Amino acid sequence: MSEKAAHLPTALRENPCISTWLQFLDHRVRICTGKVELGQGISTAIAMIASEELDLAMDQIEIQTGRTDRGPNEFITAGSMSIEGSGAAVGHVCADARLILLNMAAAHFDVSMATLVVSNGVITNPLGNEQISYWQLLDGTQIEQNADGSGNRKPSAGYKIIGHSTTRTDLEAKLTGKPAFIQDLAFEKLLHGRIIRAPGAHDRIISADLTGAEKLPGMIKVVRNGNFIGVLASDEYTAIQGKALIERDLKWSPGHDQILPGDVPGFLKENVTVSLLVEDGTPSEKPIPPFMVATDGEQISANYTKPYHLHGSIGPSAAVARFHAGHLTVYSHSQGPYVLRAALAIALGMDSQAITVIHKENAGCYGHNGADDAAMDAALLALACPDRFISLKWQRVDEHLWEPFSPAMAVSLSASLENGRIKYWNADIYSQSHMGRPVPMRNASNLLAAWQIIPPIPRAQARPGMAAHGGIHRNADPYYTFTGKRITKNLVSDQRVRTSSTRALGAFANTFAIESFMDELAIKAAQDPVQFRIRHLTDARAINVITQTANQLATYPFPDQESMVFGRGIAFARYKNSKCYASVGIILGVHIETFTIKLLQGFITADAGQIIDRDGLSNQLEGGMIQAASWTLKEAVRFSEHHSSSTNWDSYPILNFEEVPEITTTLINQPGSPSLGAGEATQGPTPAAISNAVFDATGVRLRDLPFLPEALRRAALHD
Amino acid sequence: MTYTLTLNGQTRNVDAGGDTPILYILRDQLRTLSPRYGCGAEQCGACRILVDGELTYSCTTTLIDVADRHVTTVEGMAPDNSQHALQKAFLSLNAAQCGYCLSGIMISAFSLLQKNNAPSREEIQAALVGHLCRCGAHNRIISAIKLAAAMLRSETGPSS
């Protein structure tokens, strides 16, 4: 392998053949990415990169997202890695393809390559009197060579598309009622499926009366396999009615005596399975050193908590499947088509070569939701009713009850202040797993239905992630310089409440805790919180994003309103300590009688390296801030004795249109430097900025999410 | 049983049970895909349509309720083969992330703009309070509705 090839992005080294990524079709080019569209606009950003490197118009590019029968395997679309990974891979593969095509054209015209001009895939000779296109050069063939990095990417100074804004490629269909989502797939003689389950993942069905559903006109089949029940009907409403009839008389027994004790932080701290030391963002099994305390400093401690959250996609999970001639085809909005295929193969006892998984978009996805489980559900129904396409949809209550939750977390921090600086930092972080994805495992499964069929496949035991900034410990290590840090992650492997990945994983709670505590320490040290942060930073890019937001906050005038008190707050994080730098500022008011928090204005300053899609980047940062504000102000899964009682949007409210602040976003471009993942960058700073602003307004410090009016009233009474 | 309704200006006959929510009739039988299922309980607004000009949740409104009435969806906001100002404005501002919630939002905005041709931010927020967006595209959506209002005002010229 050449030195250049060795430095290519991992995804390209693992899938080196150019034709895996690029296919030249009739005056168009199809780009195959292994990543998937989650509503984040990745298709548009990748099309922009290809358009730039191959000198093609945006409308000459078609993006094919992840599917197991075509294109590269890029594992899972998660962790803000798609631009850095797939984006870079597509950039390099296009640069190599361009070099190959220009060499062919130079030979064709018998001129030197440097004299050729390319526009919209058409190459013009130096005299300007002859042209040949990419498609003519290839004459129906594809580029079967391996990418080796010999085609240099264009210099950033000349970018015409990258770094600018464009119209999203996927929006027109979505805005005009054309087929766009997995729910819109149409097939001849499509059957409609629904699933019936007891509310908890490990509840057992004692009795189920299927006869009423079976007698409905239009009902094709009622499938029962252990604790898994599905209905298949020729029309959707019959399937819905069948589900309702079976649920009405369903008798079940709980899988656990009690789903959760009332005191969740206490439960987490008392049920630790394994404790690991985290150094430089990475866990290890080294002995955990004693608590670090400065001999002549002041020791300050605080505890922060977050509850369980839902992903709460607006479109419940769905899948389409067909089992035909021994082959299972599944359309799914899973984040990892190849991973899902392997997990399905194990759970269904099939050869993975007999399964094709094709990604098809659903409503916005913010982590491991019900997508993979719905794919398994659809596969089971398809196997029970061969040769027919099955459209399986979860209903709202299904999604709320069955999707894996974002785990509750407790973060205990303690620091020594000495001479106005933080000397030692101690952090103990408690959480269930953020990694419940259905990655293929021998004799185990993380697919919901796999635990319910006969014979059941055992559930995988939660294990601690050991990668840098993996799950619980993502952003646990502050980006600040202290004399000493002692950080532990403490995994609670109890999975009575099923948990998995949600946007930013542990970084949401960890950054909430760190950045709230930084303000608390600054105030103890009688220093300005912005200057206090800067004193502990060495990275100029970090200081820059903080300073810009601080200046905007300082000059924003509070409104004149007697019923409210106003405050401003700031917080910062560099996502995973290696990706996008982001600071978030908040101006808010607290109503003096109702204790309601009203967000008035948000500020974001972000440095994500070389910007690809300027508008898409702002959209992700602002959307992340609003979503995190919703988590902060409103969201918590509530539990009854045996399961969640947050079964709809009334019992799990999220931020609405009247509660959303205006946001001003400042992007700092770094032309020519690597692009840094940004899709989760504002998630962590937002709750801390809000907490700091509430303190600024009221003098009350909130450390337990969500910040409901009752919580603020209680805290105000205690202060 | 066969029911008749007017969908986006066209008479359509539907053979289905009268208690079927119109959402499934529109999507599955009439292949009108813009209304989308989100909650089935009038809590998210993704399925909203107009029935005789009134904002209606298609997930809870039955076929018999809309029989012999006029149903308008996003597909019918503008004449055939053209885009309504709302669609143009949402496209030009990329006023979306996933876009799943937008059909219902555009229908509410369409209804708002018929009554108020220059709504303020607060008026748009109030009109959309029954709609949920999980991606956090709210501010872009509000901006797009303001832009659409401006486009419509300039199309119709100053009011007399």
Side-chain angles (χ1 to χ4, degrees):
Chain A
M1 190 188 287
S2 73
E3 198 193 333
K4 274 186 168 175
H7 287 97
L8 288 173
T10 313
L12 191 48
R13 278 185 279 123
E14 288 172 355
N15 305 275
C17 184
I18 291 175
S19 68
T20 305
W21 297 82
L22 296 188
Q23 287 133 36
F24 289 79
L25 322 161
D26 199 22
H27 287 89
R28 292 165 62 77
V29 175
R30 182 197 286 142
I31 311 290
C32 295
T33 166
K35 298 294 182 182
V36 302
E37 182 64 52
L38 309 173
Q40 82 282 43
I42 190 65
S43 312
T44 303
I46 286 180
M48 289 171 81
I49 293 168
S51 166
E52 185 76 62
E53 296 291 349
L54 278 173
D55 292 305
L56 290 167
M58 282 289 281
D59 63 8
Q60 289 180 292
I61 293 167
E62 172 187 314
I63 299 290
Q64 167 73 65
T65 55
R67 52 188 289 166
T68 59
D69 58 346
R70 189 192 288 165
N73 177 358
E74 292 193 79
F75 196 53
I76 292 169
T77 303
S80 298
M81 315 229 281
S82 298
I83 292 283
E84 291 180 39
S86 200
V90 167
H92 281 288
V93 85
C94 288
D96 275 5
R98 187 176 191 275
L99 179 68
I100 290 165
L101 290 161
L102 284 183
N103 266 318
M104 290 166 78
H108 172 80
F109 292 128
D110 196 19
V111 296
S112 94
M113 206 173 68
T115 61
L116 299 171
V117 176
V118 193
S119 173
N120 294 348
V122 177
I123 304 161
T124 306
N125 73 346
L127 294 172
N129 59 1
E130 278 191 82
Q131 295 188 321
I132 191 162
S133 73
Y134 291 163
W135 299 272
Q136 287 169 318
L137 284 167
L138 289 170
D139 192 22
T141 65
Q142 302 297 339
I143 304 176
E144 304 295 351
Q145 285 113 298
N146 283 355
D148 59 8
S150 51
N152 290 323
R153 290 199 58 180
K154 290 185 178 175
S156 56
Y159 280 163
K160 296 191 192 83
I161 295 160
I162 291 178
H164 300 273
S165 295
T166 185
T167 304
R168 279 263 298 269
T169 53
D170 57 334
L171 274 192
E172 205 227 330
K174 293 171 174 180
L175 287 166
T176 54
K178 296 198 181 77
F181 294 102
I182 192 165
Q183 294 89 347
D184 303 336
L185 285 172
F187 294 98
E188 196 72 15
K189 294 172 77 185
L190 184 74
L191 293 180
H192 295 270
R194 291 292 187 278
I195 305 297
I196 297 93
R197 294 192 155 94
H202 295 290
D203 298 344
R204 287 173 301 277
I205 292 174
I206 300 166
S207 73
D209 182 0
L210 310 182
T211 51
E214 281 167 341
K215 284 185 193 143
L216 287 173
M219 185 61 70
I220 303 295
K221 193 163 192 173
V222 178
V223 178
R224 176 159 184 194
N225 182 347
N227 291 308
F228 173 89
I229 302 173
V231 293
L232 281 171
S234 54
D235 72 282
E236 196 161 1
Y237 189 52
T238 301
I240 293 167
Q241 287 175 301
K243 172 175 162 73
L245 275 176
I246 296 170
E247 281 175 343
R248 193 188 63 194
D249 296 323
L250 192 72
K251 303 271 189 303
W252 52 273
S253 67
H256 307 284
D257 292 342
Q258 192 184 28
I259 187 88
L260 261 187
D263 170 22
V264 175
F267 159 76
L268 294 175
K269 289 179 180 180
E270 285 158 21
N271 287 278
V272 173
T273 311
V274 56
S275 298
L276 296 168
L277 184 68
V278 178
E279 290 175 302
D280 200 18
T282 308
S284 74
E285 285 172 8
K286 289 184 194 168
I288 295 169
F291 218 70
M292 292 183 170
V293 180
T295 44
D296 50 358
E298 188 182 1
Q299 193 72 19
I300 295 135
S301 305
N303 296 307
Y304 303 85
T305 65
K306 91 166 256 281
Y308 296 92
H309 288 157
L310 299 179
H311 301 88
S313 179
I314 296 296
S317 293
V320 174
R322 181 170 76 145
F323 184 64
H324 177 69
H327 195 91
L328 178 66
T329 302
V330 182
Y331 294 82
S332 167
H333 51 108
S334 167
Q335 288 172 272
Y338 281 92
V339 175
L340 173 60
R341 179 176 72 166
L344 287 174
I346 291 165
L348 299 169
M350 290 175 69
D351 183 342
S352 68
Q353 294 304 316
I355 303 174
T356 300
V357 176
I358 301 168
H359 181 264
K360 189 74 193 165
E361 196 180 346
N362 194 350
C365 163
Y366 325 99
H368 176 203
N369 59 20
D372 301 279
D373 297 323
M376 173 70 177
D377 291 350
L380 286 168
L381 295 182
L383 289 167
C385 193
D387 301 324
R388 300 286 294 266
F389 279 100
I390 312 284
S391 171
L392 177 276
K393 293 175 192 152
W394 284 10
Q395 296 179 189
R396 172 48 52 199
V397 59
D398 303 340
E399 187 76 20
H400 267 50
L401 281 176
W402 303 338
E403 66 149 289
F405 301 157
S406 158
M409 289 180 71
V411 181
S412 298
L413 299 180
S414 182
S416 333
L417 271 178
E418 201 178 83
N419 303 322
R421 284 187 74 108
I422 298 165
K423 185 164 188 188
Y424 296 124
W425 181 276
N426 300 275
D428 297 297
I429 302 149
Y430 304 85
S431 174
Q432 288 178 238
S433 178
H434 294 255
M435 309 219 245
R437 289 186 187 281
V439 290
M441 287 160 284
R442 201 184 292 270
N443 305 320
S445 183
N446 270 339
L447 293 168
L448 177 54
W451 312 331
Q452 301 181 323
I453 53 175
I454 299 172
I457 299 168
R459 189 169 174 176
Q461 177 79 11
R463 292 178 193 285
M466 302 302 280
H469 292 272
I472 294 171
H473 57 288
R474 182 165 294 175
N475 280 81
D477 190 347
Y479 201 60
Y480 303 103
T481 305
F482 310 132
T483 305
K485 293 176 184 172
R486 177 205 155 277
I487 299 166
T488 70
K489 69 175 269 185
N490 302 275
L491 172 70
V492 178
S493 63
D494 189 312
Q495 277 281 325
R496 279 178 283 178
V497 178
R498 183 188 183 203
T499 63
S500 191
S501 312
T502 298
R503 197 174 186 179
L505 311 187
F508 174 71
N510 287 324
T511 308
F512 162 54
I514 292 169
E515 287 293 300
S516 300
F517 200 45
M518 286 302 284
D519 259 43
E520 295 200 50
L521 293 168
I523 289 157
K524 275 275 185 223
Q527 290 180 41
D528 170 64
V530 171
Q531 293 310 316
F532 186 73
R533 283 179 174 79
I534 292 171
R535 287 188 74 185
H536 293 88
L537 283 169
T538 52
D539 184 338
R541 289 168 73 175
I543 293 169
N544 186 24
V545 298
I546 293 175
T547 307
Q548 293 219 25
T549 293
N551 291 343
Q552 288 172 311
L553 278 176
T555 53
Y556 187 93
F558 288 148
D560 185 18
Q561 213 175 314
E562 277 186 9
S563 59
M564 290 188 132
V565 289
F566 298 95
R568 43 176 71 89
I570 193 169
F572 157 81
R574 182 173 189 198
Y575 191 55
K576 302 188 194 178
N577 288 5
S578 62
K579 298 189 182 285
C580 178
Y581 300 81
S583 66
V584 167
I586 277 284
I587 305 281
L588 57 75
V590 179
H591 196 280
I592 55 176
E593 281 166 10
T594 64
F595 289 85
T596 313
I597 297 167
K598 171 82 179 156
L599 306 180
L600 300 174
Q601 173 69 45
F603 295 101
I604 298 167
T605 309
D607 173 348
Q610 165 75 55
I611 296 171
I612 305 293
D613 176 359
R614 179 169 280 275
D615 188 65
L617 176 58
S618 297
N619 201 356
Q620 278 295 295
L621 293 164
E622 290 164 15
M625 179 176 177
I626 289 174
Q627 190 174 65
S630 181
W631 296 348
T632 302
L633 294 181
K634 305 192 81 159
E635 296 184 32
V637 179
R638 308 288 174 187
F639 295 91
S640 59
E641 194 181 357
H642 297 300
H643 54 85
S644 159
S645 54
S646 297
T647 54
N648 57 43
W649 294 120
D650 277 351
S651 48
Y652 190 85
I654 64 173
L655 214 62
N656 69 38
F657 267 88
E658 291 192 314
E659 296 165 326
V660 166
E662 293 191 64
I663 298 174
T664 302
T665 299
T666 308
L667 300 179
I668 295 164
N669 196 11
Q670 303 283 1
S673 79
S675 299
L676 303 173
E680 299 155 295
T682 50
Q683 238 63 27
T686 299
I690 294 174
S691 176
N692 294 338
V694 169
F695 182 84
D696 187 46
T698 63
V700 175
R701 175 55 64 179
L702 296 178
R703 301 190 188 90
D704 300 303
L705 295 163
F707 300 162
L708 298 174
E710 308 89 270
L712 184 50
R713 184 194 302 273
R714 261 199 319 276
L717 288 172
H718 282 265
D719 261 29
Chain B
M1 185 169 166
T2 303
Y3 297 85
T4 303
L5 58 98
T6 308
L7 173 60
N8 297 324
Q10 290 192 327
T11 305
R12 306 293 291 264
N13 294 318
V14 177
D15 192 16
D19 64 342
T20 309
I22 189 65
L23 174 64
Y24 306 111
I25 302 290
L26 289 171
R27 290 186 55 85
D28 299 336
Q29 279 201 38
L30 301 175
R31 196 76 187 142
T32 299
L33 297 173
S34 73
R36 299 185 181 112
Y37 173 87
C39 68
E42 305 187 358
Q43 293 175 353
C44 78
C47 71
R48 265 185 162 171
I49 58 172
L50 295 175
V51 178
D52 287 346
E54 292 293 316
L55 279 175
T56 303
Y57 293 100
S58 67
C59 68
T60 52
T61 303
T62 60
L63 176 57
I64 203 164
D65 291 334
V66 303
D68 304 320
R69 297 173 73 183
H70 287 263
V71 170
T72 308
T73 66
V74 159
E75 290 87 340
M77 292 195 306
D80 279 353
N81 303 319
S82 66
Q83 283 181 354
H84 187 267
L86 281 162
Q87 290 163 312
K88 290 179 195 163
F90 273 74
L91 267 175
S92 74
L93 297 184
N94 287 332
Q97 272 189 32
C98 78
Y100 195 88
C101 64
L102 291 184
S103 298
I105 286 172
M106 282 194 293
I107 283 293
S108 279
F110 182 71
S111 172
L112 171 70
L113 295 181
Q114 286 175 343
K115 293 171 237 156
N116 180 349
N117 72 353
S120 65
R121 176 179 171 91
E122 289 70 27
E123 287 168 334
I124 295 170
Q125 287 177 298
L128 298 184
V129 82
H131 291 272
L132 297 179
C133 163
R134 187 55 162 163
C135 298
H138 305 70
N139 286 313
R140 286 165 176 261
I141 291 168
I142 294 166
S143 300
I145 294 169
K146 281 189 167 179
L147 175 61
M151 287 160 69
L152 288 170
R153 286 197 304 275
S154 71
E155 271 174 30
T156 53
S159 54
S160 51

